[in-house]
Amino acid sequence: MSFKKSAVMTIYRYILLGLVMAASNAANSDTVSQRLSALLQPIETMSASFSQQLFDADGTLIESAEGVFKLAKPGKMLWHIIEPMEQKLVSDGTVLWIYDPDLEQVVIESFTDKIKTTPITLLTGDVTDLDERYTIALKETAKDTVLFTLTPSNSSSLFSHIAIEFMGSIPQSIAIMDTFDQRTVIEFGELSVNPILDDAIFSFVIPNQVDVINNVR
């Protein structure tokens, strides 16, 4: 499978975005859920660079990518892969545009249908019901650094675990294990929490002379 096709599949399913498992300390689930909610709730916007790596079940690196992203609640996103092949995913919270310059193609999807049940909602959506959607464990990995491991309650989920690492109150990385034991690790750089972002960032203007596949109509 080419990088482009597999990268689309990874990001399309996980966004962040397709996001290292570790043994967790025993803790009260309500307390852990509340602690994670307290870290996520104040995040209204985010802007960062990212590096993304996909590993197979044996831990072999399959592919990697680099880019930048911007997020805003509720459900707004710009996910821009720059290397090795450019691709943009843009959402205004209702519609998702997937732009592939190399193929000269834009795919339009419903954000609700395709993204709402994926890990992106941890950073862009409502986090008040985390304990209903996940079993959450907590591990102190270093001074001022904690790792939350989330296991979806829904057995039909596309992923088996999510791991989110914070240093202080700032998210550092997200790792996602899918049901085929493939692991996507996304590390953040130059991260800014709650910057002022123009709403125009999250509205995609379709370039001229590109193929448009509209799955919303």
Side-chain angles (χ1 to χ4, degrees):
M1 181 180 291
S2 69
F3 170 84
K4 184 175 292 296
K5 291 182 179 178
S6 56
V8 170
M9 184 178 297
T10 300
I11 299 168
Y12 194 65
R13 287 185 299 170
Y14 309 135
I15 307 295
L16 300 104
L17 221 89
L19 303 131
V20 180
M21 305 309 299
S24 61
N25 295 331
N28 180 275
S29 60
D30 289 340
T31 301
V32 172
S33 174
Q34 291 167 4
R35 184 169 176 181
L36 178 55
S37 293
L39 288 170
L40 293 172
Q41 195 73 47
I43 300 175
E44 295 293 331
T45 62
M46 284 180 61
S47 176
S49 61
F50 71 86
S51 61
Q52 175 177 305
Q53 295 180 309
L54 174 64
F55 301 88
D56 66 14
D58 296 323
T60 301
L61 178 65
I62 300 175
E63 62 194 32
S64 60
E66 295 182 357
V68 295
F69 72 84
K70 299 181 188 296
L71 304 174
K73 293 179 180 177
K76 298 176 181 179
M77 171 187 64
L78 167 63
W79 191 266
H80 185 187
I81 298 174
I82 299 173
E83 296 289 345
M85 293 184 178
E86 185 180 12
Q87 186 182 54
K88 284 185 179 181
L89 294 92
V90 183
S91 175
D92 61 3
T94 302
V95 175
L96 171 68
W97 296 270
I98 304 171
Y99 174 46
D100 192 322
D102 187 53
L103 296 179
E104 298 182 335
Q105 176 180 282
V106 175
V107 178
I108 305 174
E109 300 280 2
S110 167
F111 180 86
T112 300
D113 292 344
K114 300 298 181 181
I115 308 301
K116 196 171 182 179
T117 60
T118 63
I120 189 64
T121 57
L122 292 173
L123 297 175
T124 65
D126 185 5
V127 295
T128 58
D129 61 346
L130 287 177
D131 53 346
E132 297 178 12
R133 292 187 285 145
Y134 303 98
T135 298
I136 307 174
L138 169 66
K139 181 179 178 63
E140 307 278 351
T141 58
K143 183 179 180 181
D144 297 326
T145 303
V146 294
L147 182 74
F148 293 89
T149 302
L150 296 81
T151 303
S153 302
N154 187 345
S155 60
S156 63
S157 174
L158 291 173
F159 51 92
S160 58
H161 302 286
I162 310 169
I164 307 178
E165 187 173 54
F166 285 81
M167 179 178 290
S169 61
I170 306 300
Q172 301 296 306
S173 66
I174 295 180
I176 304 164
M177 183 80 74
D178 69 17
T179 52
F180 298 100
D181 291 334
Q182 291 186 334
R183 182 166 53 91
T184 301
V185 180
I186 302 174
E187 296 183 341
F188 307 141
E190 302 175 347
L191 188 145
S192 177
V193 173
N194 293 331
I196 297 174
L197 300 177
D198 190 334
D199 267 353
I201 293 171
F202 307 109
S203 182
F204 185 71
V205 177
I206 298 175
N208 294 327
Q209 299 180 334
V210 299
D211 293 329
V212 178
I213 302 173
N214 191 339
N215 295 323
V216 174
R217 295 179 299 189

